[in-house]
Amino acid sequence: MSAVKQFIPLFDRVLVSRAVAAAKTKGGIMLPESSQKKMNEGVVVSCGPGAVDADGEVIPVSVSVGDKVLLPEYGGTKLNLDDEEYLLIRDSEILGKFVKVTSE
């Protein structure tokens, strides 16, 4: 069993796999790693149950596994699981969620 499947965030924490920046331009030129910018997008891998308010009620997280989200430039805790880098971040720090819009 992989380490990611064994890791469950607590409270309102969300485990996110950050999107990888393109290593090649549209014209086919390979970019060095130093010139690639850090992507502020990611996919939710795992979610905690939610935060607990003053009355003891659980406030569920606003994202679910598989959601594509917009992340802040700084923040969160970097984790290395199964030789991949993940970001552990609070649900309230996620800036937004990307949704597919269907045109009718």
Side-chain angles (χ1 to χ4, degrees):
M1 184 179 260
S2 72
V4 175
K5 292 188 182 212
Q6 293 176 359
F7 184 82
I8 300 171
L10 298 177
F11 302 110
D12 63 339
R13 304 287 199 294
V14 177
L15 187 66
V16 177
S17 174
R18 205 181 270 272
V20 179
K24 191 188 290 188
T25 64
K26 291 180 183 178
I29 299 171
M30 298 294 290
L31 296 172
E33 196 171 304
S34 61
S35 70
Q36 295 175 10
K37 67 176 188 170
K38 187 167 64 168
M39 297 291 288
N40 287 349
E41 298 176 11
V43 177
V44 176
V45 177
S46 181
C47 296
V52 179
D53 65 5
D55 298 329
E57 299 291 322
V58 175
I59 303 168
V61 292
S62 58
V63 294
S64 57
V65 175
D67 285 347
K68 189 174 178 182
V69 294
L70 181 65
L71 303 168
E73 189 170 349
Y74 302 103
T77 303
K78 291 181 184 175
L79 292 173
N80 286 319
L81 302 171
D82 290 339
D83 296 328
E84 287 189 44
E85 189 174 289
Y86 295 93
L87 188 66
L88 186 63
I89 192 166
R90 287 184 183 272
D91 179 49
S92 60
E93 293 176 355
I94 294 175
L95 301 176
K97 179 167 61 168
F98 294 101
V99 294
K100 291 186 179 184
V101 177
T102 56
S103 60
E104 291 183 35

